[in-house]
Amino acid sequence: DAMAIFVALKSAEVDVIGVTTIFGSVYTTLATRNALNLLTVSASTVNSCFLSAMQLEAAGRTDIPVAEGSHVTITKGTKLGTAEFAHGADGLGNQNYPPPNGKPIAQSAAAFLVEQASKYPGEVTLVALGPLTNVALAIQQDPAFTKNIGKIVILGGAFAVNGNANPAAEANICGDPDAADIVFTSGADILTVGINVTHQVLLTDADREKLAASNGKLAQYLCKMFDVYYRYHYDAYNTKGIYLHDPTTMIAAIDPSVVTWTEGVVRVQRTGIMRGLTLLYNNQKRFAEVTEWNNKPSVKVAVTVDAPKVVKMVMDRLMSS
């Protein structure tokens, strides 16, 4: 998440107008603290780009508001899955940064989303890098939200591949499947980038060394955090490198030409051992029976990615910081 946020802040194509937080890698309270810290470290700036992320901390942009998100799922569930094993106990590679000076705004994340979409109708891109609870709440709070929001680019789903939370489900969708199903069937203009795509984009050991050797302030900051995440990838995937899930999604929001997509109706399994499974109906068969996919709006599902271009765009932005 931190890398994706830094990429956005160093992209002249976008104006980051806010950050919202949600449980995922860590619980929401810590995610908010991390967001405030990330925004203390970098600076930059014209399409409006709106970020929804699990963690955020250090970017020299204290002008950007941080709105704290939900502490429970859309169904008020309190049993939340977090990923300290991948991101460290603090969500930032066990760096234990000091508490930030800033504070989140009084508005909830959902209310902030609704306000900004209404203020800039059709202009805001919401980049959702965590569970979709805040987005689903915004949809429930304002029937016009799906029309006012320009587009929603989601990191979520595992289409025709195994998940990373369990064999069936990708972590963000698994974090709140009910919220994800609300969002996917809302009628908003949605592009979702699943791990079937992000697992094609690898930051290698050589890339890491290049970042570390650069003069980029944000590159240096990230390199301090990498050890836990690299170790997780080696243990879980026997891979010498890290998958760029969040940065790939951010780049796809900035430059959609890096991915190709198909379109269809996506539904999410909300119960049972396959809870969090995302299933795309590609409209290639007309069913005689009425199904749970009937009369639901289509979304775009990424299927291929220009991995070398994504890695280069990420590296260039971080090393120029």
Side-chain angles (χ1 to χ4, degrees):
D1 301 272
M3 187 183 291
I5 299 310
F6 287 164
V7 166
L9 292 170
K10 296 304 296 180
S11 296
E13 303 94 330
V14 300
D15 177 16
V16 180
I17 62 173
V19 169
T20 65
T21 62
I22 192 65
F23 55 84
S25 298
V26 293
Y27 292 111
T28 302
T29 299
L30 182 52
T32 301
R33 168 178 162 149
N34 287 350
L36 292 164
N37 276 328
L38 284 180
L39 293 174
T40 303
V41 174
S42 164
S44 127
T45 187
V46 141
N47 299 324
S48 292
C49 182
F50 198 12
L51 307 177
S52 173
M54 290 185 285
Q55 314 173 334
L56 302 162
E57 214 221 64
R61 291 299 304 275
T62 54
D63 58 306
I64 297 173
V66 174
E68 185 160 279
S70 179
H71 294 256
V72 296
T73 68
I74 196 75
T75 58
K76 310 299 182 186
T78 57
K79 186 178 180 181
L80 308 174
T82 55
E84 290 87 352
F85 56 87
H87 302 286
D90 64 351
L92 294 171
N94 291 329
Q95 294 303 300
N96 298 311
Y97 295 108
N101 293 322
K103 295 184 181 301
I105 62 175
Q107 268 182 316
S108 70
F112 182 67
L113 289 170
V114 168
E115 178 189 74
Q116 297 300 312
S118 178
K119 185 177 180 180
Y120 305 105
E123 298 182 33
V124 175
T125 295
L126 168 58
V127 184
L129 302 177
L132 295 172
T133 316
N134 296 329
V135 188
L137 287 170
I139 291 167
Q140 291 181 340
Q141 289 178 19
D142 181 11
F145 177 76
T146 56
K147 302 301 181 186
N148 287 335
I149 196 75
K151 62 180 177 178
I152 304 174
V153 181
I154 295 169
L155 168 59
F159 297 92
V161 299
N162 281 147
N164 58 354
N166 59 54
E170 179 273 332
N172 287 344
I173 304 302
C174 192
D176 195 342
D178 297 277
D181 196 59
I182 290 170
V183 174
F184 281 129
T185 59
S186 68
D189 182 357
I190 291 173
L191 167 65
T192 190
V193 182
I195 60 173
N196 49 298
V197 165
T198 60
H199 274 194
Q200 300 175 46
V201 187
L202 188 73
L203 189 80
T204 65
D205 283 345
D207 295 327
R208 180 186 183 183
E209 291 171 5
K210 188 175 179 181
L211 285 173
S214 76
N215 293 321
K217 178 181 179 182
L218 301 183
Q220 294 292 332
Y221 183 90
L222 287 168
C223 284
K224 295 177 183 177
M225 296 161 42
F226 274 159
D227 282 348
V228 174
Y229 202 44
Y230 265 82
R231 189 161 54 249
Y232 160 72
H233 276 76
Y234 185 78
D235 292 344
Y237 297 103
N238 198 28
T239 297
K240 292 185 177 181
I242 58 174
Y243 296 125
L244 296 184
H245 304 293
D246 304 74
T248 299
T249 305
M250 183 61 69
I251 292 294
I254 295 169
D255 180 3
S257 71
V258 300
V259 297
T260 64
W261 59 77
T262 188
E263 294 191 41
V265 179
V266 171
R267 298 304 307 266
V268 180
Q269 179 68 29
R270 291 170 290 165
T271 60
I273 64 169
M274 291 191 291
R275 176 176 163 84
L277 175 75
T278 46
L279 192 58
L280 167 70
Y281 166 47
N282 60 15
N283 298 309
Q284 291 183 7
K285 182 184 187 300
R286 292 186 298 276
F287 292 92
E289 313 83 15
V290 174
T291 76
E292 297 296 332
W293 285 259
N294 282 110
N295 301 315
K296 300 294 184 185
S298 291
V299 302
K300 301 179 185 74
V301 176
V303 291
T304 69
V305 62
D306 186 341
K309 183 175 181 179
V310 170
V311 173
K312 184 178 187 305
M313 290 178 72
V314 169
M315 297 274 290
D316 286 351
R317 282 160 171 74
L318 294 177
M319 291 190 297
S320 69
S321 59

